[in-house]
Amino acid sequence: MSTDAPAPTPNPNFPPAPPQQQEQAAPPKKKNIAVRILTYIAGLIVVGLVIYGFNYFSSDAAQTKAGDCASLSGTRTKPEFKTVACGAAEANYTVAKVLGSLSESCGGKYYDEYTETARRGPDSKLCLLPNLAEGSCYELDNPTNVGYPAVDCGKSGVLKLTKVVKDSDDESACGDGAPMAFSEPKTVFCFEPGQAA
């Protein structure tokens, strides 16, 4: 007996052929760094505009224009400003000028100024003309409170408003009275001592 075994015939399936490699898709390209930076900057600008717009539309002072009436209350160190209808009892000022920056000046010694600085949003500086009634008496040198509420004419140190001259800033219109002149809108208030009235 022969010990020779027939040579095995090669099996075409053994060993298994490595699977055909499928063509792999190219990895997604990373975004260009410039595009990412521009997208980030655009996002910051949009967020900044939203915050600025919110602060603008939530601030009465930022939306005020010359000729609007306002109520200013509180103290000189912490005033509270809001726009009101000109016929309202609380309308104690008329906005004479809206300044473009905080460094600008109202240009007259009698204007009251209201300044509002916003952390994020527009800063506002307003020149205010007091709304005073002819025949009423006022304390014009009140160092703490804002506004000029009418007071008793018999009180010491008060002045009585004897005449209001519109469309003029000529102090001579007051004659012997004490003038308070404004250039915008042109107005002169003429005062006399309250106790003398």
Side-chain angles (χ1 to χ4, degrees), residues 67-151:
D68 287 349
C69 291
S71 169
L72 195 62
S73 58
T75 64
R76 293 201 182 272
T77 56
K78 193 169 182 177
E80 295 176 21
F81 178 91
K82 67 178 179 177
T83 54
V84 295
C86 289
E90 60 186 334
N92 56 358
Y93 285 98
T94 299
V95 178
K97 301 180 202 177
V98 177
L99 301 178
S101 73
L102 298 183
S103 62
E104 291 183 48
S105 170
C106 290
K109 61 182 177 178
Y110 298 116
Y111 287 108
D112 282 348
E113 293 181 357
Y114 176 75
T115 302
E116 184 176 283
T117 54
R119 230 175 81 195
R120 294 180 181 98
D123 293 334
S124 304
K125 188 172 185 180
L126 308 174
C127 303
L128 304 174
L129 173 77
N131 290 340
L132 306 177
E134 197 170 308
S136 296
C137 292
Y138 301 94
E139 283 183 290
L140 299 178
D141 295 326
N142 188 331
T144 56
N145 292 331
V146 295
Y148 301 96
V151 296

Side-chain angles (χ1 to χ4, degrees), residues 40-54 120:
Y40 179 73
I41 291 171
L44 287 177
I45 290 171
V46 169
V47 168
L49 288 173
V50 168
I51 291 170
Y52 183 89
F54 175 77
R120 294 180 181 98

